[in-house]
Amino acid sequence: MRAGHSRSALTACGLVLGLTLAACSTSEPPGAGPRPSSTPLPSPTRALVAWSTTACTTVKPLDELRRDSAGKDTEDLTGSSATSYIMRATTTLQGQAQSLRAVPRTGVKAADAYIAGLVKTLSDLHARLPNTMDTMASPDKEKIAKARQVAKTVATLKPQMPGLTAVVKGEPRLVASYNVTPDCEPVRTASRPAAAAPTRALVVWSETMCTYAGLAQKSPVGGEGGGAREGDPPFADQFRALELMSFIRDSGSRLDKAADEIDALAPTGVADADRYRSRLLSSIRAAAKKLPDYDNAELGRLSLGGLEAEAEKVAGTLAKVEPKGDDLPDMVARQPRLAAAYNLAPACEPLGPGSPSPAGTGGP
């Protein structure tokens, strides 16, 4: 090869190598995600947070049912387990469809179309399932065969969470609200939140506080008591006894769950809010220690009057939880940044007119 040709070949190779290295050096590392965009997201809205809550809490059990249905054709089923599975599939498909039908239209085309499409899918699947009452009366062999057929029907349902997140990512208005919704895992986006938009942490804080701050108000104790009265439905005393037993027995676990979730909250940076959380957590833990440890057998031996008396004691303990749930809106209303997040949280009753909007500014 002549020298001129050699130099040309080397130059070309060097150019190709340089371009290759440059391309490699400017590519994003794996998992780097979308590049930041200068376009901010819209402000989140209460309506779209509510939409996101229903969507996320609906698709999760659907995906769980779909996963649990895999392999039913080879699983060693019994008549009892087959019936249980069929009932679960039926109630899940029917129940989630009903929840979705109750979602108000948002005016966001992608959101409304997603809900309508999923309702139709679930309704069509539910229509293909066997009647649960007929199944319960069937021989075990037939129950097992029906369960396997139900599993094949459920398997035709596509994984729902990927579809939901794809819909959300395609609409900035959905992204803004979805990413602050406590029941949803945020999606990655190139756009930054709107200026002064409520943070996910403050919405989660508000949702948790509104769920647990009013524990004392969620008591079945009160009213006239004293057993069934004229005009009461049949078995009123039995239903009342079951209600009281459940309240007495479960109050301790409710307090423990509340304490765990409140304890898991990160500091908000809002001094009044962090003090409120600390006081509520300490008060709930103190109340939990004062509750007797009841069991079903012990409660079952009590008369209705005895259950009423025990429930009164439990309600009295819960009533001492401080700060009171009624104190929460007043405290929040003094903090514009927190108030905007509070007004988004599904468990919170929105503050009155004049309270900060999600796009409001100010606050500590």
Side-chain angles (χ1 to χ4, degrees):
M1 182 181 291
R2 288 182 296 179
H5 287 173
S6 297
R7 284 194 297 272
S8 298
L10 288 171
T11 300
C13 289
L15 179 60
V16 171
L17 180 60
L19 290 173
T20 302
L21 290 173
C24 291
S25 64
T26 57
S27 63
E28 290 185 351
R35 293 181 178 179
S37 168
S38 59
T39 305
L41 291 169
S43 295
T45 67
R46 184 176 177 87
L48 289 181
V49 169
W51 179 91
S52 301
T53 298
T54 303
C56 290
T57 55
T58 295
V59 303
K60 288 175 184 176
L62 290 175
D63 283 347
E64 288 173 3
L65 175 65
R66 185 179 180 277
R67 285 193 298 269
D68 293 346
S69 298
K72 288 291 180 187
D73 54 339
T74 58
E75 185 177 329
D76 187 16
L77 295 171
T78 64
S80 176
S81 63
T83 301
S84 177
Y85 168 72
I86 292 172
M87 292 181 68
R88 178 192 170 195
T90 301
T91 55
T92 298
L93 295 178
Q94 186 178 40
Q96 302 313 316
Q98 288 175 345
S99 296
L100 292 171
R101 287 191 190 97
V103 176
R105 293 183 65 84
T106 64
V108 178
K109 185 176 180 180
D112 295 337
Y114 175 81
I115 295 294
L118 187 51
V119 167
K120 184 179 187 308
T121 297
L122 298 181
S123 299
D124 290 346
L125 286 176
H126 180 260
R128 293 164 56 188
L129 301 187
N131 182 282
T132 52
M133 297 303 294
D134 292 343
T135 299
M136 292 175 67
S138 302
D140 283 358
K141 185 176 180 180
E142 189 173 333
K143 290 176 182 176
I144 293 170
K146 287 183 178 181
R148 299 197 197 287
Q149 185 57 49
V150 168
K152 290 180 181 178
T153 300
V154 172
T156 64
L157 181 67
K158 295 179 180 178
Q160 291 301 304
M161 190 55 75
L164 172 60
T165 55
V167 169
V168 170
K169 288 179 179 179
E171 172 53 71
R173 287 176 292 177
L174 293 181
V175 173
S177 295
Y178 187 95
N179 279 0
V180 300
T181 300
D183 284 309
C184 301
E185 287 295 322
V187 298
R188 301 178 75 175
T189 176
S191 299
R192 53 186 171 79
T199 65
R200 176 182 174 84
L202 288 183
V203 178
V204 170
W205 185 94
S206 300
E207 179 79 357
T208 306
M209 291 299 109
C210 289
T211 299
Y212 294 119
L215 283 171
Q217 287 95 322
K218 299 171 184 176
S219 163
V221 175
E224 299 178 29
R229 290 168 294 279
E230 185 177 353
D232 281 349
F235 310 110
D237 279 355
Q238 291 90 328
F239 286 129
R240 176 62 174 164
L242 290 173
E243 179 186 31
L244 292 170
M245 288 175 65
S246 177
F247 170 70
I248 296 167
R249 184 187 61 241
D250 298 340
S251 288
S253 60
R254 282 198 299 272
L255 288 179
D256 290 341
K257 181 182 179 184
D260 289 344
E261 293 192 15
I262 294 170
D263 188 40
L265 294 172
T268 64
V270 180
D272 283 354
D274 291 337
R275 279 194 295 269
Y276 185 97
R277 167 189 170 274
S278 179
R279 287 171 55 205
L280 181 60
L281 178 59
S282 297
S283 188
I284 286 175
R285 284 175 170 165
K289 292 178 181 178
K290 296 176 182 177
L291 290 178
D293 188 15
Y294 297 98
D295 60 41
N296 286 334
E298 183 181 2
L299 291 173
R301 290 191 290 268
L302 295 177
S303 65
L304 182 58
L307 289 171
E308 293 273 8
E310 289 300 318
E312 288 279 2
K313 294 178 186 177
V314 172
T317 300
L318 295 181
K320 295 176 183 177
V321 171
E322 294 284 353
K324 301 294 185 186
D326 292 343
D327 298 337
L328 181 61
D330 290 339
M331 184 277 292
V332 168
R334 297 192 297 269
Q335 309 292 339
R337 187 160 60 95
L338 183 57
Y342 183 95
N343 282 343
L344 290 175
C348 301
E349 190 70 26
L351 300 173
S355 63
S357 68
T361 57

